[in-house]
Amino acid sequence: MTEQTSTQPTAKYRSDYRKPDYTITDIDLTFDLNDTKTQVTAQSKVVRMGDNADAKLVLDGDELELVSVTVNGEAWSAYAKEDGHLVLSDLPAEFDLTIVTMINPEANTALEGLYKSGGGFCTQCEAEGFRRITYYLDRPDVLARFTTKIIADKAAFPFLLSNGNRIAEGDLDNGRHWVQWQDPFPKPSYLFALVAGDFDVLRDNYTTMSGRNVELEIFVDKGNLDRADYAMTSLKNSMKWDEERFGLEYDLDIYMIVAVDFFNMGAMENKGLNVFNSKFVLANPKTATDSDYQGIEAVIGHEYFHNWTGNRVTCRDWFQLSLKEGLTVFRDQEFSSDLGSRPVNRIANVRIVRGPQFAEDRGPMSHPIRPEKVIEMNNFYTLTVYEKGSEVIRMMHTLLGEANFQAGMKLYFECHDGTAATCDDFVQAMENASGIDLSRFRRWYSQAGTPVVAVETAYDADNKSYSVTVKQQTPPTAGQEEKLPLHIPFDIELYDSKGEVIALQSNGKPVHNVLDVKEEEQTFVFENVAEQPVISMLREFSAPVILEYDYSDQELIFLMIHARNEFARWDAGQMLLAKYIRKNVAVVQAGNAVELPEAVVDAFRGALLDENLDPAFIAEMLTLPSENEIAGWYKQVDVDAINAVVGALTQILATDMEDELLAIYRSLAQGEYSLDHAAMAKRALRNKCLSYLAHTATGNDLVTAQYAAADNMTDTMAAMSAANNAQLPCREAQMADFSDKWTHDGLVMDKWFMLQGTNPAENALENVRNTMNHPAFSLKNPNRTRSLVASFCANNPARFHAKDGSGYAFLTEILTALNTSNPQVASRLIEPFLKYRQYDEARQQLMRSELEKLSVLDNLAKDLFEKVQKALEQ
Ligand code: B3K
Ligand code: ZN
């Protein structure tokens, strides 16, 4: 045996994909669980794939203590340990391989592989965590049948869970017991899961469309059973929806969900045994807000939908991640839209794409939805792969229509069920099933960046024709200078002066609303247009692009009222706000006072008072773009001016509409608390009104009264956020009261930590530092860290970017600590630094020097290394 190590992380390229030389068809795992010394025995059936008899078997491994290697029952010495690999040689074409390793779950603070969360054990293997459990072909194109035996102390760990069906169990004489599981579906190692602990269990069952019974089990920490109902309802709704909309039925006899407190992301779709961040399971009206409930529904749905899009058809390699993630996000968005309000869901998703996803496109980590080069795979679970990935699927859905799209899905499963596929396989299935040419459309998979679509229109009164000229151009992104024209579905509608729709006609024929924009420049001419129309464009955000068009205020106000589709009305309102935000940023920079014309205020007043609109939708109409989204409109960001403008516009709207806001606030006072959509929508609008009213003379009284009267967390948090944002005198007492009540409950305290992080007060950072000593806070817990630290660094731009650099120094301290304990969380937190080039010279210097400090850290984790290096070399 020889050992080698190297230090500089290396990149992998999509173009280097090779089939593996060996595959593993079956693996039989035994875990002898112990906090610090867990023994893992892995018995695999290995088969050589190519005809190279000398091929070595290169197994991945990380943080493992190797105990023994045997081949066909004989101790094997022909192996070497090389830089994270176990390389075996002189092997037969087919053999049984047994590897025994020892791991330390308690020392595993990275929360990847097998680790302790609270009192129990759990795993997280995607993307490359299984190699922290045993040496293995830890790549998604190796699909094996798993059998798993778990041995543990019976009193401490009465529940021992893994994927598939429980096939055997028994007691041992030393107080220990064991359970054995078998998963009949071959799967890649990233879908493996193990959980051991003591839980309360919520049980239910579901009868599938073919009449099979499925046992449903949700495992929560003891005492939390009263917070699992909504997750169970969401699970059953997901199962039903996938049958009805996609014709897809669940395939095992049991579906388990375990909620854990220590988890790096939202949840994980392990076959038959989802592991969830407790944030996306636990809720009751006293502890969770309406948006928490919506998050639970979406994430439960998302993980469930992965059973087909991700598990039954998985990814050939990690560059194809969007194959499962973009598609599954599209499916969960459709689920939430079919069950709730489509416009409100669409608005929420579009805000994410236009805000943080477009920001990612502009930064040093910019990548296509199918990346070409990766150092640390965990860095590519991005808004681009997920959210833009979903937009790409949505564009295909728009181009094909529901029926063709579903035919494409069917064909995709016919061709690829039980295999590891590529993004191209998916597009091919859509193309074959529909007969629609997607050749140019495929560029969305390889081209990074946000296309800018500039539109000019002209009305010819003599010929009664209207022409729309569309120019597209994608600016260069990090590492990708040359850009090609894309196939953009461009959804438009024309209105006459009465607000009636003008039917689209060209060359005497009706034309579909969705124009196929494929070239750098194209002109579409419409006939029989009796008068100068108003055009609504990029309806439903039909493509993830930036639209440039010189709308007048009148046209935007017209669309806010007359557009047939609610999304378009909202979008017109956003464009109107954007005009005045831009104008006023310049006004503030020139030292003058922010102004908003009366006609603009009236347009928003009109929306507020429109009784035909869903109150949840009105609340969206009245929501200003975030400071971060606004920052994205500028080459050089003036954080202070943006902060001042958002504050002043909020104040103007509050003052000018005070009477109406108060009237609506009062009229929406609720009786019995309920979770149905209408009740949530009322709370949304009522609390939106409160957020404005907090900036008026009656604000402190209203907020104080709402906090005192609230019987649910939505209203409590709305009062506290209003007090926080408007810095009301009642803030302090509310914060103290809340902390007294909830200190024992970290998940609820996260809301309080978030308010501390986003506190607009001058001394916010000092408060954040003090808050880190709160008994409920721990940097070891990702939820706590995100609630306090990430909300300060990412969502409190005016304070994080303090001129003296104090916010920057704070982030570096945190990153330095997390670099060794939890690199995945560190890598998410570093994001605000990556945008340093968008700030003024002085701030750039300060942030750059923090990045330089990080770059020379001892043992800089791959996760941070990749981002720091790209940011510095951009
Ligand atoms: N597939 C997981 C994400 C895994 C992230 C690994 N760093 C959850 C999801 O997207 O459903
Ligand atoms: Zn997913």
Side-chain angles (χ1 to χ4, degrees), residues 29 61 73 110 160 277 280 376 434 492 497 513 520 534 540 650 716 826:
L29 288 160
L160 304 176
N277 186 326
F280 292 109
E376 169 52 61
S434 67
I492 67 162
S497 52
N513 277 77
E520 238 167 272
V534 177
E540 297 291 354
T650 305
T716 301

Side-chain angles (χ1 to χ4, degrees), residues 30-41 62-67 100-108 112-115 121-123 129-135 194:
T30 303
F31 289 81
D32 198 342
L33 290 180
N34 175 288
D35 285 358
T36 54
K37 277 183 161 305
T38 286
Q39 181 170 294
V40 183
T41 304
D62 191 11
E63 304 270 322
L64 300 172
E65 185 189 318
L66 182 62
V67 177
V100 180
T101 49
M102 198 65 89
I103 54 181
N104 182 349
E106 198 168 85
N108 184 352
E112 201 182 16
L114 177 71
Y115 65 92
F121 289 89
C122 69
T123 54
F130 192 74
R131 62 189 62 185
R132 293 165 66 98
I133 291 173
T134 185
Y135 286 101
L194 174 157

Side-chain angles (χ1 to χ4, degrees), residues 850-868:
E850 300 297 340
L851 283 167
E852 275 158 2
K853 276 184 222 159
L854 290 168
S855 75
V856 296
L857 274 187
D858 284 343
N859 302 317
L860 183 64
K862 265 164 71 172
D863 316 55
L864 284 182
F865 169 85
E866 182 167 39
K867 291 189 176 178
V868 170

Side-chain angles (χ1 to χ4, degrees), residues 269 302-303 306 324-325 328 386:
E269 70 262 25
H302 182 96
E303 307 313 329
H306 266 316
K324 75 176 176 81
E325 295 304 348
T328 305
Y386 275 63

Side-chain angles (χ1 to χ4, degrees), residues 387-409:
E387 307 299 322
K388 184 176 179 182
S390 161
E391 294 301 319
V392 170
I393 302 290
R394 185 172 295 284
M395 286 191 282
M396 281 188 266
H397 185 268
T398 303
L399 290 169
L400 271 64
E402 171 76 4
N404 274 330
F405 184 85
Q406 290 298 349
M409 291 295 301

Side-chain angles (χ1 to χ4, degrees), residues 808-820 826-827 829-834 846-861 864-869 871-872:
Y808 306 153
F810 171 67
L811 180 51
T812 301
E813 274 171 46
I814 301 285
L815 291 175
T816 307
L818 288 173
N819 172 54
T820 41
S827 190
L829 279 182
I830 199 177
E831 287 295 323
F833 276 167
L834 307 186
L846 288 167
M847 282 190 265
R848 196 181 162 92
S849 87
E850 300 297 340
L851 283 167
E852 275 158 2
K853 276 184 222 159
L854 290 168
S855 75
V856 296
L857 274 187
D858 284 343
N859 302 317
L860 183 64
L864 284 182
F865 169 85
E866 182 167 39
K867 291 189 176 178
V868 170
Q869 192 199 39
L872 287 173

